[in-house]
Structure formats: structure tokens, C-alpha cells
Amino acid sequence: MKKYWKILKKYRASLWLSPFLVFIGVVGETIQPYFMARIVDDGVMQNDLSVITRTGILMIAVSILGLTASVINIYVSSRTSIGFGTDLRSSLFRKIQQLAFPDIDYFSSASLITRLTNDVTRIQQVIMMSMRIMLRAPMMLVMAIFFIIHINTDLALILTASVPLLAISVYLILRKGFPFFLIVQQKIDALNGVVRENLINIRVVKSFVREDFETEKFVRNSEDLRDMVIKASNIIVAMFPMMQLIMNLSILAILWFGGVKVMSGQLLVGELISFVNYLMQVLMGLMMLSMVIMTYARASASSKRIVEVLDKEPSLSDTPEGQQGHHAIREGRVSFRNVSFRYTGGETDVLRQIDFDVQPGETIAVVGMTGSGKSSMLQLIPRLYDVTGGQVLIDGRNVKDYALDELHHKVGVVLQKNELFTGTIGENLRWGNANATAEEVEEAARAAEAHDFIASFPDGYDTVLGRGGVNISGGQKQRLCIARALLRKPKVLILDDSTSAVDSETELKIRSNLNRLLKDTTLFIITQRIHTMQSADRVIVLEDGEIDAIGRPEELMLSSTIYQEIYNSQRNT
Ligand SMILES: Nc1ncnc2c1ncn2[C@@H]1O[C@H](COP(=O)(O)OP(=O)(O)O)[C@@H](O)[C@H]1O
Ligand SMILES: [Mg+2]
């Protein structure tokens, strides 16, 4: 709540203004039956046209005033809630940008998207609702009851019987229906989750031909939701006649007792009519109140999910020394000192006793079976994850003592699963370094063997990628990702299987370009290809989270059985 208040503070003026507007609107509305009574009793019954005209004009004036206030309040509340929603979404987005890889693992991308969209929208609706009817409902109740008592205290007694009855039936509906509404909400969330996850991974779904499986999952969730909604509305449907009955009985009672009073001259006809109207308003007030409570409860789950993200401290942050940002990475010497690593929530260490030193400018091939920890190991260098034991050093200094900014600028990573953004090719490349000149962009593209295919597009570097633009192959995408990383002129460059979709010949060219262009850059290449292993300065062989062997390729050919196995298996393919 404190988090929300920080954002809402900006809209303080509107939040103060709104209750007054609501009050004027409610008075304008609840006074109408009173005027009607006057018109009937003092005008119609007394044959006095001037009273009808005068009261009529007053009625219209008050009604216009009330409606104007209501309209202004709708405007104010829309502006406030939409503004609040936008601000909340921005601060949530900003927070997500600060989160580290382990945090994203924890929340999952699909869930973060739901939180950014659905959940924020729901909170936004609650703000709007609060400003429009949260106060309106009780005010209306109080005003209507006030007028009823003002007209005739005896008849007001009927209220003391019927209002509790109505209140009880509203309460029953709520208590019965409430759990169902909450479940409905959860089912909607589940369905959203399924859809989002499916869409994010649609390529995987398609490539594994799992459309049927996924569709079935969707249908299952969808039908779950349907059944729950039906159950929930059944309760409402069952309760409505009951409310209607109580309502009608109340009106009947009023007409009965009121009729008796009218006949004995204790009550006027107009007053009786207005009485019935007020009873309707009381009921309206009760219904609105129940709606408000329901919306709040539904939104509380959303709120919890939003606050959870806002409260999440990024699990990687600068050490006090890092925050000062004194240190710069100049050479690119990388050392692992007895490093072990475990993913948050993981049961075992995926890396153990990792120890090695890499000289500036060296090219290191990292090989090993899938799941042996290659990606995990190299992600520790730019602190995408933090070690759980030991130390990673760059230029002899613990990576935690560099500002994260410096670290991420000087250590370039092309991840196994890399993505480009919607936009032109040029924009995507410059994303790595906004100040790069056209020559630098082209140089990087040439080094990544991307220039030729870029130049083959009619729009060249201005070719739009993604939505509405051209689609490029996986290999082309990988080359653009490499070029993007090169533009940063990193001191350490990590290529995580980044040329897997590029043919061997092109890969060879890229490698020799890199050697030329980034002579002093330390290069880590995770690879499956023999010639890449063979042309590296040294090779690290990982086996089940531990270093099996490390050395020059020709040494490993003699000493490491795993290296020989990988070598042989590759040669045969
Ligand atoms: N984000 C993650 N959260 C939890 N466990 C992970 C994560 N990424 C990888 N792992 C696990 O860590 C181990 C090493 O994976 P990884 O480093 O990706 O291997 P490689 O790159 O050699 O194929 C595997 O057992 C894998 O299941
Ligand atoms: Mg990997």
C-alpha cells in the first residue's frame, strides 16, 4: 500500500476533490423523490400550478448540478486511475529492468507480462471504482435513509425490518459467491498464463509439433474457467429472486401501512411515492456496496503479485566498492578461483571446483556434453549469475568489485538463446553501442560475416526486422547478435554456441575475423565443432560441472578421453 501511495500522491488534488463531487451527485439524486413528493402533494393535490413550476425548475436545476458533478467526477477519476495505472506500470517495468537473471528465473517471463498488463489494469480499475462508487454507495444509503426519516418516522420503521433483510441477502450472496469469484479470478489467471507461455514459446511448440497437446491444455483450462463462471453465476441467479422478493415485500408493506396512513390523513400520497423510490435507492446502495467489496477482493490477488515484484531486491547488485565505480577493466585477464555454483532453488551444485587462468587475448574453447555447465560457467564472468562459492576475477579483481555497468560494457555476451528487437538492422546493431559510427557498424557486421547478406536486402542496414518486416534465418540472426556484441568493443567476449546455425565455412571466417579485429580481446567460445576446438589457444573440457581437462588442443588429444570422444563423434558427422 505504501508503494501505491507513493504513486498516488501525485494525484492528491483529485483524490480530495472526488468525494465532494460524489457527494453533490448523490444529493442531486436522492433529493429527486423529495421534490416529486412536493410536486404531488403541494402542487397536484392542491391544484397549485405555481408550486409545480417552481419545484419543477428547482428539481431540474439540482439535477443538472448533480449530474455535472457526477460527470466531472467521472472525468477526474478516469484521469487519475489511468494516470496511476501508467505510473504503476512504468515503475514495475523499471523494476523488472533492474532484476537479475535469477530473479527473472524466479518470476518467469510469462508471469511478469501478466503482472505488467492484467494485474496493473485491475488495480487501475479499483482506483477508478473507489473514486466513483466506493463513497457513493454509503452516501446514497445514508441520504436515502435520512430523507425517509424526514418524511415519516413511522414508515421508516418498515425500513428497519426490510433493510437488514436486504443486507443479509446481499451478505449471503457475497459469502456464497465470493470464494467462487476468487476462484474464477485464479482460473482467468491460469488461462492467461497458458496463453502467454504458449505464445512466447510458439516456435518451440511448432517445432515439436505439440500444437495438439498445447491446444488440449488450453481447452482444459478454458473449460475449467467456464465451469467456475457458471457455478458463480448460478449463485447470483439463485439469489436474485430472493432479493427481488424481499424488495417487493418491502414495497408491499410500505404501500399497505402507508395506504392506511394516507387514508387516515397522516401521510400524503406524494410522500408515499417518494418512499418507494427511496427504498429502491437503498437497495441500489447495498448492491453497489457489494460490488465494491467484490472488486476489492478480486484485485487483492493482483495487488499481491505486483507488490511482490516491486518489493523484490535485485539479487545481484554492486558491492560498496563496485558502487564507487573506480575500477576499469583494461586487459581482460579472467581467473576462476575454486568456483562453485548452484541455481537458486537448485538441489545440487552445477559447477564445482572450477579453477583456471586465462591470459588477455587468449581464445578458449569450452566443450562438454549438454548440461555439463558450460553456459552456467561463462555466465558467471559478467555476473549474470553470482558464484555461490569461490571467486571470479577479471584483471586480478573480484568481478563483484566492478560496477555492474562497467562489467557489462567490457564483457560481451552472445547468449545461446539470443533475440533481436523490432526495428531496423542498424538500430539493432547500434543497440550494443549507441554512439557507433556507420563505419564501425559496417566493420562489426563484416567481422560477423553479416555485411554481405545485409547488403543484399534492398534497404540494407535500414531493413526492418520483426513485426511487419523481413524475417531472417537463425544463422543470420546469430551473426547480427555477434556484430551487436562486437560493437561494444569488449575486453572479454563470450560466444555461447553462437554460431551453431552458421555453416562451418562461414564460422571459420568469423573466427579469423575476430582474431584480427579483437586481437587483445579474451575470447570464450562454447562450441560443438572440432575445427573451432582445434584452432583455439586452449580448451576447457567440462564434465558434469567439473573441469575434466584444460590445455592446448593437441595436448588434450593425447590426454583427455572426453576430448577424444567429442573429437571423434564430431568427425564422423
Ligand atoms: N536457469 C536455470 N535454473 C536452474 N537450473 C539451470 C538453469 N540453467 C541451467 N540449469 C541447469 O544447470 C546445469 C548446467 O546447465 P548449462 O550450464 O546450461 O549446461 P550446458 O551449457 O553445458 O549445456 C543443467 O543441469 C541445467 O539443467
Ligand atoms: Mg549451454
Side-chain angles (χ1 to χ4, degrees):
M1 269 302 137
K2 238 170 57 196
K3 294 249 147 69
Y4 294 151
W5 185 238
K6 246 172 55 191
I7 300 174
L8 272 177
K9 260 204 319 231
K10 207 166 112 192
Y11 303 98
R12 224 175 312 161
S14 310
L15 292 175
W16 276 109
L17 179 63
S18 178
F20 291 107
L21 294 171
V22 170
F23 182 69
I24 296 172
V26 168
V27 171
E29 201 171 327
T30 47
I31 210 166
Q32 297 300 323
Y34 177 76
F35 283 141
M36 246 187 287
R38 292 274 71 81
I39 287 177
V40 172
D41 296 336
D42 301 347
V44 179
M45 303 302 265
Q46 311 287 331
N47 286 328
D48 188 343
L49 200 62
S50 69
V51 170
I52 300 182
T53 324
R54 248 186 298 123
T55 317
I57 290 173
L58 197 60
M59 203 168 151
I60 292 170
V62 170
S63 155
I64 288 176
L65 183 71
L67 285 178
T68 311
S70 296
V71 169
I72 295 177
N73 187 46
I74 288 176
Y75 175 76
V76 168
S77 60
S78 296
R79 268 186 66 107
T80 306
S81 58
I82 292 170
F84 170 82
T86 310
D87 294 348
L88 180 61
R89 204 170 288 125
S90 304
S91 51
L92 200 57
F93 189 79
R94 216 169 296 131
K95 184 61 176 231
I96 293 173
Q97 299 307 303
Q98 291 167 9
L99 293 181
F101 275 39
D103 311 324
I104 307 283
D105 289 346
Y106 171 75
F107 287 118
S108 94
S109 306
S111 154
L112 285 175
I113 294 174
T114 316
R115 292 172 208 231
L116 259 176
T117 50
N118 276 42
D119 289 337
V120 170
T121 307
R122 201 162 294 140
I123 302 296
Q124 180 178 318
Q125 278 167 353
V126 163
I127 301 280
M128 189 164 78
M129 188 113 165
S130 303
M131 293 180 74
R132 290 195 191 158
I133 65 174
M134 185 180 78
L135 290 174
R136 198 177 129 84
M139 277 187 195
M140 197 143 150
L141 273 176
V142 170
M143 288 304 287
I145 292 174
F146 167 80
F147 276 110
I148 286 176
I149 294 173
H150 181 73
I151 294 170
N152 191 301
T153 335
D154 284 349
L155 275 188
L157 286 179
I158 295 176
L159 271 188
T160 53
S162 58
V163 167
L165 271 179
L166 283 174
I168 286 171
S169 57
V170 168
Y171 169 77
L172 281 181
I173 289 188
L174 280 184
R175 220 191 57 171
K176 268 266 173 199
F178 209 59
F180 288 99
F181 292 122
L182 283 187
I183 297 173
V184 165
Q185 211 54 55
Q186 286 161 7
K187 301 268 177 208
I188 291 177
D189 289 345
L191 191 64
N192 274 329
V194 169
V195 171
R196 292 230 150 81
E197 202 166 279
N198 175 281
L199 292 182
I200 287 175
N201 298 322
I202 190 75
R203 282 161 216 278
V204 183
V205 175
K206 295 235 163 259
S207 60
F208 278 80
V209 202
R210 293 291 271 173
E211 291 98 329
D212 289 346
F213 174 81
E214 286 291 310
T215 306
E216 196 184 300
K217 197 157 78 182
F218 175 83
V219 169
R220 200 164 353 106
N221 275 282
S222 182
E223 287 176 352
D224 253 14
L225 174 62
R226 178 198 61 197
D227 296 343
M228 222 50 216
V229 170
I230 290 176
K231 260 189 206 152
S233 36
N234 276 350
I235 290 173
I236 300 266
V237 168
M239 291 310 249
F240 258 116
M242 189 171 136
M243 297 200 69
Q244 196 71 45
L245 189 69
I246 297 173
M247 182 75 196
N248 288 340
L249 284 178
S250 308
I251 291 176
L252 209 64
I254 283 172
L255 288 178
W256 174 271
F257 290 111
V260 172
K261 281 183 181 289
V262 168
M263 281 177 225
S264 64
Q266 283 173 292
L267 189 74
L268 300 170
V269 178
E271 288 177 338
L272 186 59
I273 296 170
S274 66
F275 218 107
V276 173
N277 278 312
Y278 281 125
L279 197 69
M280 301 287 243
Q281 288 184 348
V282 168
L283 179 76
M284 278 275 288
L286 282 173
M287 296 289 276
M288 276 195 295
L289 209 56
S290 60
M291 226 159 79
V292 171
I293 296 174
M294 213 126 76
T295 320
Y296 273 76
R298 280 183 177 197
S300 73
S302 291
S303 175
K304 230 179 266 161
R305 279 200 298 261
I306 290 175
V307 171
E308 191 188 4
V309 178
L310 288 178
D311 279 347
K312 179 84 188 171
E313 287 300 326
S315 55
L316 304 180
S317 51
D318 291 337
T319 59
E321 198 169 344
Q323 269 164 14
Q324 296 175 357
H326 289 326
H327 310 300
I329 296 174
R330 298 218 163 74
E331 297 184 287
R333 184 190 318 278
V334 176
S335 315
F336 276 56
R337 292 272 176 275
N338 196 21
V339 167
S340 58
F341 174 67
R342 172 185 299 216
Y343 285 101
T344 325
E347 308 221 312
T348 53
D349 288 351
V350 296
L351 295 171
R352 288 176 306 278
Q353 294 166 13
I354 305 289
D355 240 319
F356 62 80
D357 286 282
V358 174
Q359 301 308 313
E362 242 190 316
T363 296
I364 304 288
V366 180
V367 303
M369 309 270 282
T370 310
S372 57
K374 305 182 294 293
S375 301
S376 305
M377 181 175 87
L378 296 187
Q379 284 176 10
L380 299 175
I381 302 175
R383 287 187 73 202
L384 296 179
Y385 292 88
D386 265 343
V387 297
T388 27
Q391 289 186 331
V392 177
L393 311 171
I394 298 182
D395 293 353
R397 192 181 299 284
N398 194 324
V399 284
K400 293 181 184 175
D401 291 339
Y402 291 104
L404 275 175
D405 227 37
E406 169 72 6
L407 202 57
H408 291 166
H409 266 95
K410 297 290 172 58
V411 182
V413 193
V414 182
L415 293 174
Q416 208 163 5
K417 216 171 79 181
N418 230 316
E419 289 297 336
L420 296 166
F421 293 90
T422 304
T424 68
I425 289 179
E427 283 164 0
N428 264 288
L429 296 183
R430 278 213 179 74
W431 197 83
N433 176 3
N435 303 320
T437 63
E439 289 76 42
E440 286 173 318
V441 170
E442 191 181 318
E443 187 187 26
R446 279 188 190 279
E449 291 294 323
H451 176 76
D452 287 348
F453 80 78
I454 297 174
S456 77
F457 295 136
D459 291 333
Y461 284 84
D462 295 326
T463 304
V464 177
L465 298 178
R467 226 180 337 179
V470 302
N471 278 313
I472 54 175
S473 75
Q476 290 173 331
K477 201 178 191 179
Q478 286 186 331
R479 282 178 271 170
L480 290 182
C481 289
I482 294 175
R484 176 171 74 187
L486 290 181
L487 264 181
R488 285 216 155 174
K489 305 211 165 73
K491 287 288 159 205
V492 179
L493 180 61
I494 297 167
L495 301 180
D496 188 345
D497 220 357
S498 318
T499 45
S500 55
V502 177
D503 60 275
S504 328
E505 204 176 319
T506 311
E507 187 192 321
L508 217 57
K509 282 192 208 154
I510 296 176
R511 286 264 296 107
S512 73
N513 294 341
L514 291 184
N515 282 342
R516 193 164 33 78
L517 196 68
L518 300 177
K519 257 199 319 290
D520 304 326
T521 298
T522 311
L523 192 57
F524 287 92
I525 305 182
I526 296 178
T527 184
Q528 318 277 354
R529 295 210 169 119
I530 334 172
H531 58 73
T532 308
M533 303 174 200
Q534 292 291 70
S535 64
D537 294 321
R538 281 191 294 163
V539 178
I540 296 177
V541 181
L542 274 185
E543 160 81 342
D544 196 18
E546 293 185 34
I547 292 185
D548 168 75
I550 177 166
R552 286 186 289 117
E554 57 275 17
E555 289 169 7
L556 295 184
M557 272 308 280
L558 302 174
S559 61
S560 164
T561 29
I562 297 179
Y563 188 79
Q564 288 161 9
E565 274 168 26
I566 297 174
Y567 183 92
N568 290 327
S569 70
Q570 287 293 309
R571 201 177 37 184
N572 299 335
T573 54

